[in-house]
Each structure stands twice: as structure tokens, then as C-alpha cells.
Amino acid sequence: MDSRVELRTALEKARTATESLLAPVPDLDLVAQVSPLASPLVWDLAHIAQFEELWLLRALHGHEPIADAHAEVYEALRRERSARDEVPTLRPDAVRAYAGDVRERALHELDHVDLDAPNPLLRKGFVYGLVLQHELQHQETILQTLGLGGTSYPIRQAEPVDRAPDGPDEVRIDGGSFILGATDEPWAYDNELVPHEVEVRSFFIDRAPVTNGAFARFVDGGGYATQKFWSTAGWEWLQAESASAPLHWQSADGGWERVRFGQVEPVPPDEPVQHVSYHEAEAFARWAGKRLPTEAEWERAATWDERRGKSRFPWGREFMGYEANLGHTRFSPTPAGSYAGGQSSAGCVQLTGDVWEWTSSYFQPYPGFLSYPYAEASEIFFGEEYRVLRGGSWATDPLVARGSFRHWEHPARRHGFTGFRCVRDA
Ligand SMILES: [Fe+2]
């Protein structure tokens, strides 16, 4: 995607999706902070526009800040970092005007920009990919916030999907070396680079993500009361959080219910579990006599085939022609075993498009890492504070959900659409 027309279409499609997510929310709720973990929804829109102004107007085209026309928005965004509680409220109509203004200017520049100019920001349209992915990722953040809000939001229900042929509970992945990292991704983030050879041992991996039904057996069997299943940090988290089940679950007569976008419903047993922290995923794995995969194991299972080498998605190179459960066309994962066309070469299902999957890997740079185009993109998050999630959830856009994509999160967090699958040594 690097022609003028394709870039314009992609930008417009992304904006339409952002607007349609926010459209059902009254202005009063757009400015509310529903949780310390989430910004007000209107902030996401202001920040999406601010990022676009910074990269498409200022960095690429040398524009001056357009502060004059949107002083109120600028003031709030400028103060946002330093003194959160003193931030003036962002008015939704002012933010919408700012976002529209930035977009209009960006599209005007796109009509005239020389896409072949020798500018690293334009190489294969990189800066457009940066701005697009940023907006798409914030759509997932918006959905996380909507999920935390507790107020009713119109859930998108999609048609039932087809099923993969039945298979064993686990599949074997043969050990060997493979290429970890983005090999052929024009818009890869710096943290996916440099692709390099790594060796993994043979292992068995769950064919599908762990389901609500399986997780309920862990909960009902006393998993949250049995310290030996939990790491030291996990047990401390459990006490501090007083957690007794995944986020949004509540016990009901004879089973479990969940609150999903403000609506109470029975927990569907065959759906991949979501809203579990790293600690909960790790404890379940230990209870099951297994462990969480490393990100290298996950990427090998999801993208590598001995004969054809690396592919972008578990099912192959192309997204087109395969209707994965990506891009929030429905507001939930699909039942375990869905999507005949989505199987990996080893026979795993739902490695992308249902839940982000926790891995045991810390978010660390690959060998040869070079920060680009700014340190806040990845570099400042490296270390042992965050664990890597892989795969992409139902709320993730296909553009983002490539097999080499590394998402990172604090191990205590579970307001995202996070689940997992387990592995064991062969
Ligand atoms: Fe952002």
C-alpha cells in the first residue's frame, strides 16, 4: 500500500472506523475518566490528531504548529503530561474540529507529496504507516475504555463463522532455527527489527487459546486460593487485587456471568478467555502442568513453515480473502476451533484475531535494535517491567495484527483483550 490513492483510502477508512466507535457515546461520557487505567475517550481522538499533526504535517512537511486555530485543545494536550488533575476538560466539538482540520491539511499534502523523495520518513510510505497504525491501535484502546466503562454500549454481533476441522488439543512444533522478527514489513515498528535467526527446542502448543470453560475449571477448582500455582509476584498481585476470577466475571447461580460493554450475560464456555493478567495466565499454565510460550516459540508456531519459510499471518502471506475475526466487526472472540481458513501450517487455530496471547518473554530489544523514529515508540519500555503479548485480538486491525508484531503490557493489567495458550516441552 504505497500509492497516493491507497494511502488516502486507508486514512479515510481508519477515520471512519474511529468516528463510528465514538458515535454512540454522548459528549458527557466522552469527557469522563472511567478508570485510572484509561484516558477519557475524547483524549484518544485529540491524541490521534496530535500524532498526525506531528508526523504528517510538522515532521514530514515542516508545518508550524496550528495552535492558533485550536488554542483550547493545545492547552489541554500541553498540560496533560505534567499535571493530570489540572488538565482543562477537552471539549468534544473542539477536538473534532481540530482532528478534522489536521486531516484536511494532511490529505491536501498527500495530493502533492513526492512519495519517491529520498526522505527516510517516506521510504515505502513509512510515516503514513506510522500514523495509520497509531490510529488503529487507539481504536483498540477506545474499545478497552468502553469495556471498562460499565455503561451500555451497542455491541456488534456478527454472523456465526465456519469451523476448522477437529484436531488434537495440542500440536507439535519441531525445534530448529527460524527467523524471528519482521522480514518483509514496510511499516514494521523498530522493535520488530532486526530479523535474526534464533533456535527453539521442540514443543507442544495448545491448538486453540484457553477457553472460558477451561479457565472456569481452574477457578472453580480453587486455583485462586492455591499459592503453589502462583509466582511470588503473582500471589502478591492476587492479594492486592483481591482477584477471584477474570476481570468482568461475577458468580451467578450455578455458573459465571460477565459484564461485556455494560451488558450482563452468561460466560460462553467455548470462547477464548479474555481479561486475564499475565499472573493469572501463568498460574493457570502451572495448574495445567504446562507453561506460557516464549515469544520466539509463539512466532515460530504462528509464522514459520519449514518448507515455505516465514509468512505474515498463521495462514499465509495475505490478509485478503480470509475473513479473520479482526477489526472489531464483532465485539468478542469467536468460539475455540473457528475459522477453517485460519489454521497455521502445524494446525493451530486462532493465533490471531481473537485474543492477545501472553508470552513469558520480557519486552526487550532484538540484537541490532535501532530506535526509530522516536524513543517513546519502544525503547523507553524495554526491560523487565513489561511482558510481550502476541497475536492480536478481535479489536485489532489486520494492518497491525501481523505475526511479527510485539505488543507489551504490564503483567498486572487485564483490561485489554488478553488471553493465552499454553505450551510444554516435547
Ligand atoms: Fe498513542
Side-chain angles (χ1 to χ4, degrees), residues 225-398:
T226 311
Q227 190 170 356
K228 69 176 180 185
F229 300 136
W230 299 77
S231 68
T232 308
W235 189 250
E236 279 170 18
W237 170 82
L238 184 62
Q239 308 305 312
E241 190 79 12
S242 301
S244 55
L247 187 65
H248 303 315
W249 283 29
Q250 55 197 38
S251 59
D253 282 347
W256 291 96
E257 290 177 342
R258 67 178 178 187
V259 183
R260 185 165 66 109
F261 295 93
Q263 296 174 38
V264 179
E265 59 188 22
V267 169
D270 56 349
E271 216 175 71
V273 67
Q274 45 178 0
H275 299 302
V276 290
S277 68
Y278 175 80
H279 300 307
E280 289 164 295
E282 188 187 43
F284 176 98
R286 205 169 288 174
W287 169 80
K290 300 184 184 184
R291 61 180 173 83
L292 297 176
T294 65
E295 65 172 322
E297 288 172 332
W298 190 95
E299 191 166 320
R300 182 172 171 100
T303 70
W304 190 258
D305 179 278
E306 278 309 326
R307 279 157 301 140
R308 67 166 191 237
K310 186 112 179 165
S311 63
R312 180 179 220 178
F313 297 111
W315 55 87
R317 178 74 209 152
E318 294 303 321
F319 182 74
M320 283 207 321
Y322 170 63
E323 295 289 317
N325 187 38
L326 284 159
H328 44 82
T329 51
R330 73 170 67 216
F331 277 17
S332 64
T334 51
S338 292
Y339 289 111
Q343 292 183 93
S344 70
S345 62
C348 284
V349 294
Q350 291 162 295
L351 281 156
T352 187
D354 288 282
V355 288
W356 286 103
E357 299 185 11
W358 285 108
T359 76
S360 59
S361 299
Y362 291 117
F363 185 52
Q364 297 282 19
Y366 289 162
F369 170 82
L370 276 176
S371 183
Y372 185 81
Y374 62 113
E376 286 80 8
S378 314
E379 194 174 10
I380 62 168
F381 300 100
F382 288 142
E384 298 196 349
E385 192 176 351
Y386 299 98
R387 304 273 182 171
V388 173
L389 289 143
R390 291 304 203 98
S393 78
W394 57 265
T396 313
D397 190 273

Side-chain angles (χ1 to χ4, degrees), residues 36 39 78-79 88 91 113 140-141 216 255 262 318 344 413:
S39 308
R78 189 176 63 78
R79 280 211 245 157
R91 276 193 11 242
V113 67
E140 182 154 2
T141 311
E318 294 303 321
S344 70
R413 298 279 175 267

Side-chain angles (χ1 to χ4, degrees), residues 145-228:
T145 306
L146 289 168
L148 276 170
T151 51
S152 193
Y153 183 85
I155 289 174
R156 293 178 194 164
Q157 306 279 14
E159 295 295 304
V161 296
D162 68 342
R163 292 189 63 77
D166 285 340
D169 290 346
E170 300 174 313
V171 302
R172 183 188 163 96
I173 307 290
D174 288 329
S177 63
F178 81 108
I179 306 295
L180 180 69
T183 52
D184 191 18
E185 295 288 348
W187 294 349
Y189 283 134
D190 56 3
N191 66 61
E192 294 166 76
L193 302 170
V194 179
H196 58 290
E197 201 167 307
V198 298
E199 179 113 9
V200 296
R201 292 185 171 177
S202 298
F203 59 98
F204 289 96
I205 187 166
D206 292 349
R207 181 171 160 271
V210 170
T211 61
N212 288 321
F215 203 86
R217 284 194 288 282
F218 168 64
V219 179
D220 295 336
Y224 282 66
T226 311
Q227 190 170 356
K228 69 176 180 185

